[in-house]
Amino acid sequence: MSYSIKEIFYTLQGEGAQTGRPAVFCRFSGCNLWSGREADRPSAICRFCDTDFIGTDGIGGGKFATAVAAAEAVDAKWPSDPVQTRVNASRKLVVCTGGEPLLQLDATLIEALHARGFEIAVETNGTVVAPAGIDWICVSPKAGASLVQRSGQELKLVFPQANLDPAEVEDLGFEHFFLQPMDGPVRAKNTELALRYCLDHPRWRLSLQTHKLLGIP
C-alpha cells in the first residue's frame, strides 16, 4: 500500500489531554466526511472543518510507496540533537491526523513507526474501526456520521453541534471526555457554551486550541 500525506511537521500538541507535548504531526490526505473543496461544503456531513488536507504539497508531504518510507519521513522530523534524542527517546510521539487518517493508517505503517520508537496517536472521526496497535485513540464524533470506533483514550467533541448532544456519547468507553468550542465567527459564544456545559456536567473537560492562540502549526 502507498500513502498520500499532506504534510509532516514537528510542533506541540495543541489540544486535548496531551496539550503541550512535542510531537510529529503526520497529516494524511483525504476524508470520508468532506472532500476538502469549498464547493462541496454545503452538502458535506462535516461542514465546519478548517483544515487543508487536499493533496500532498504541504511541508514534508508526498506520496510514499512503502510504510518504511513514510515512517522514515516521520522520524526525520524528530529532533536529532544527541542530548535531546537521549532524553526523549522513550517519549517520541507521532500524531496521525487528517482528513481521516484511518483511511490509510494500517498495520504495516503502525509496525514501521513502532520500530522507530514512536508512540502512535490518532485523531479520527470514529467512522472507521482503528487497527490494533495504536497507542492513543482520540475520537471526534460528527453529527450525522456513523460512529463505529466507540472506545479509546480520548473523546473530543466539537461543541455545539446540531443533532449531537454530549449526553449521547458520554457513556462510551473512553478515559477522557473533552468539549472543544467550535471555531468560526461565533467562537466566543461557543466557548462560553462549552465552559458552561463543563461546569454543569463535570464528566466533561474543556479543550482549547492552544496552537491557534500561540500561532504555531
Side-chain angles (χ1 to χ4, degrees):
M1 176 178 176
S2 61
Y3 305 88
S4 295
I5 297 175
K6 173 68 178 183
E7 56 187 348
I8 304 173
F9 57 94
Y10 179 68
T11 186
L12 298 178
Q13 171 60 282
E15 54 193 58
Q18 303 206 70
T19 295
R21 182 175 173 183
V24 177
F25 274 71
C26 180
R27 186 178 308 284
F28 289 87
S29 304
C31 184
N32 57 349
L33 300 185
W34 178 44
S35 69
R37 298 177 176 86
E38 286 302 320
D40 298 330
R41 190 185 290 272
S43 60
I45 294 176
C46 179
R47 301 176 187 175
F48 56 81
C49 181
D50 60 359
T51 302
D52 178 9
F53 53 79
I54 297 177
T56 58
D57 58 343
I59 297 173
K63 293 188 176 182
F64 298 88
T66 66
V68 169
E72 288 177 347
V74 169
D75 199 23
K77 295 295 183 180
W78 193 261
S80 58
D81 177 79
V83 175
Q84 180 80 354
T85 300
R86 185 173 67 251
V87 170
N88 288 327
S90 64
R91 297 286 292 169
K92 289 170 67 174
L93 175 67
V94 57
V95 178
C96 298
T97 186
E100 175 45 56
L102 295 186
L103 297 175
Q104 299 189 63
L105 182 61
D106 59 8
T108 305
L109 183 52
I110 289 170
E111 181 180 1
L113 290 167
H114 278 157
R116 283 154 183 78
F118 278 96
E119 178 182 345
I120 301 170
V122 67
E123 297 181 340
T124 173
N125 59 34
T127 62
V128 180
V129 175
I134 297 174
D135 303 293
W136 186 276
I137 298 174
C138 174
V139 172
S140 181
K142 303 299 188 294
S146 176
L147 183 62
V148 299
Q149 182 61 44
R150 303 174 72 85
S151 63
Q153 282 67 44
E154 180 178 354
L155 188 140
K156 184 172 58 187
L157 181 63
V158 177
F159 183 84
Q161 289 186 55
N163 302 316
L164 182 51
D165 191 290
E168 298 177 36
V169 295
E170 67 181 11
D171 291 327
L172 298 180
F174 293 88
E175 299 171 19
H176 306 278
F177 289 80
F178 287 94
L179 287 189
Q180 185 161 289
M182 186 180 292
D183 203 357
V186 292
R187 181 176 62 181
K189 178 181 178 181
N190 292 340
T191 301
E192 175 61 29
L193 289 172
L195 188 155
R196 175 53 54 190
Y197 193 95
C198 290
L199 288 172
D200 291 342
H201 304 83
R203 178 174 190 128
W204 293 88
R205 295 162 60 188
L206 186 67
S207 172
L208 299 177
Q209 293 182 298
T210 61
H211 54 294
K212 293 182 178 180
L213 299 175
L214 295 172
I216 60 177

